[in-house]
Amino acid sequence: MKISEKLKRANDENRLSYSFEFFPPKTEAGVANLFDRMGRMARLEPDFIACTWGAGGSTSDRTLEVCSTAQSVHGLETLMHLTCTNMEKEKIDRALKDAKDAGIQNILALRGDAPRGQEYWTPCDDGFTHASDLVSYIRKEYGDYFCIGVAGYPEGHMDTPDKAQDLQYLKAKVDCGADFIMTQLFYDVDTFKAWVKSCRAIGIHVPIIPSIMPIPTFQSFRRIINLCGINVPKAVSDTLDEIKGDDQRVKDYGVELAADMIRQIRESCGISGIHISTLNLERSAKLILEKLDVLPKQTAVSTEGRKTVTWATLRDPAHAENWDEFPNGRYGDARSPAFGENTYGASQPLATSQAAAKWGHPTAAEDITTLFEKYILGQLDSLPWCEEPLQTETDTIQQQLKQVNRAGYWTVGSQPAVNGASSQDGIYGWGPEGGYVYQKAFLECFVSDKQLPGFLDRLRADPFVTFYAANRQGDFITNVADDEAQNAVTWGVFPGKEIVQPTIIERVSFESWKEEAYALWTEWEQQYAPDSKTAQLLRDIGERYWLVNVVHNDYQQPNSLFEAMLP
């Protein structure tokens, strides 16, 4: 059924239409657990679910798999995102044909972002320059078979500073045949209300669906708003600053905030549908709907006429809803559908002038060492692998990290050992009050092929050290015998709760992050002229250096990691 029809029905019945957004998980286990999660969330009776599409079609197969499974197994109407950035006409045709063959009738037509490593976006031959081109093409090829949505930006698109012009671009997409608008995330309801009014004033009358993202964790929230350039009202920022050390309070506040935003939007804008960005989690979405009192009274879902599939889920069903409620980016549990949060690889390339202003024009390995050292000392606020300044806890190992980087081991992730600090500790604390937190020291760094043999020999000499090492070519070395071993390196013990393990080091997550880590070398390289000494240096480093993850498993000996690493 078309989304436009569902929205009309909801409007006629004076009820709130709600939907969920997912992204394609990074691992096979994550996919299996997402399908299990979607089955439970189907009982909440959303009007549809949506699945995102990677730049240049990088997730096309998995996006289609998620959409077709949601539709055929769980009986959920689906909205498939489709971008046209660096997509040849043949890819567009195949994606649309596959969608129709799978019974998918709703497409969100997007321009999308350039794939990693490309400084400026350029259309492919026979490709599409704007989302309006994609809308027109779908209408030309498929008539009214597809219900087409397009993106709207309440705060204006980052590429179009002129908000009036941005609205005209939106109207052009609608005039080309779009049936509804789905907005980018926002947190300023007043801005959204003014934007809706402006849309209506220039003749945009199709339904507008606001996207709402409940705050997952403070760190994730900060990354996402920085990435998307989203304004956050002062009252929201002030509240988060007060509670940012308590992940549960942040999540609870995120639910309250989302529910309040939806109430305001419903009362003032005449909006019939809202779209919840789940980040592949379920509990917050369910709690929001509970607070709005819109959950169905009868939650049993009929399976008559649908396929019956049993997924290889990994947790006790009693904990299935919230076992991964606090994902931790690239160091989270790779079995979680939310692993990676679809954000750690989502930083936008700097323009050449900005890259040069921030990181200069390095021409030797020593110059790279200097940049990493400046970052450790707080003299640089970011590196390609680190979008924000170091956390406060890293100050406690700053001198050791400086030594490590001066030795030529360039660090892109680290944490100190912690043995039972209070969850309210100003440096190490996290989680609910009255608990205690623990950490194993770990470090992730790039090491040259010449230094690697001696480096690994020193690590092997310490029986408490475990490591993973890999290069761009796919070579892999480890002293961990079990390929599926999971090493919890951060955990917390809290009153009335199971032990919480937000940070896990394992092979599958390391290898997934490795692909992103080397893509960032390429991205950095391509901000400079291809024949420049800087580009040549960065290209050579990407080819020769290994990414190494090291954990010292004796958390009662805080200096042991650095003693094992350094000559």
Side-chain angles (χ1 to χ4, degrees), residues 122-322:
T122 53
C124 292
D125 293 339
D126 301 319
F128 303 80
T129 306
H130 304 292
S132 56
D133 298 328
L134 180 55
V135 174
S136 296
Y137 184 76
I138 296 172
R139 282 283 175 252
K140 173 176 172 289
E141 296 296 317
Y142 288 89
D144 64 354
Y145 173 81
F146 287 111
C147 176
I148 304 174
V150 292
Y153 301 88
E155 297 177 14
H157 194 285
M158 288 189 294
D159 291 348
T160 311
D162 186 336
K163 293 185 178 181
Q165 182 62 60
D166 191 54
L167 280 174
Q168 291 300 320
Y169 290 149
L170 178 60
K171 188 173 187 302
K173 291 187 285 188
V174 173
D175 291 345
C176 286
D179 297 297
F180 67 92
I181 296 165
M182 185 170 285
T183 75
Q184 186 189 48
L185 304 171
F186 62 90
Y187 289 93
D188 190 327
V189 174
D190 289 339
T191 295
F192 172 76
K193 291 190 291 187
W195 177 79
V196 171
K197 186 176 180 180
S198 297
C199 287
R200 301 313 188 203
I202 65 169
I204 298 174
H205 298 299
V206 297
I208 294 174
I209 306 175
S211 292
I212 307 293
M213 188 189 77
I215 298 171
T217 65
F218 180 73
Q219 294 300 328
S220 296
F221 171 75
R222 194 164 65 174
R223 283 199 303 272
I224 291 169
I225 62 171
N226 288 338
L227 171 68
C228 300
I230 297 171
N231 176 58
V232 179
K234 185 176 185 301
V236 175
S237 296
D238 290 347
T239 300
L240 286 171
D241 281 341
E242 292 175 5
I243 62 175
K244 61 185 178 183
D246 188 328
D247 290 338
Q248 187 60 60
R249 290 182 67 191
V250 169
K251 189 172 284 286
D252 292 344
Y253 173 70
V255 168
E256 293 283 356
L257 176 65
D260 183 61
M261 289 174 62
I262 293 167
R263 291 189 195 98
Q264 292 184 57
I265 290 168
R266 284 278 285 162
E267 291 170 1
S268 60
C269 296
I271 296 292
S272 299
I274 57 101
H275 190 61
I276 299 176
S277 178
T278 69
L279 293 178
N280 288 7
L281 299 170
E282 62 186 289
R283 185 164 174 76
S284 289
K286 180 179 178 182
L287 291 174
I288 290 167
L289 298 179
E290 284 182 354
K291 289 186 177 297
L292 295 170
D293 195 27
V294 296
L295 281 178
K297 304 301 181 185
Q298 174 63 41
T299 57
V301 177
S302 170
T303 59
E304 183 178 353
R306 298 181 197 156
K307 298 178 183 177
T308 300
V309 178
T310 301
W311 307 114
T313 53
L314 302 170
R315 295 281 173 148
D316 183 333
H319 305 296
E321 181 180 286
N322 58 12

Side-chain angles (χ1 to χ4, degrees), residues 468 476 478 480-485 506-508:
Y468 296 110
F476 182 82
T478 184
V480 180
D482 182 358
D483 284 347
E484 298 182 0
E506 55 185 324
R507 177 170 179 170
V508 65

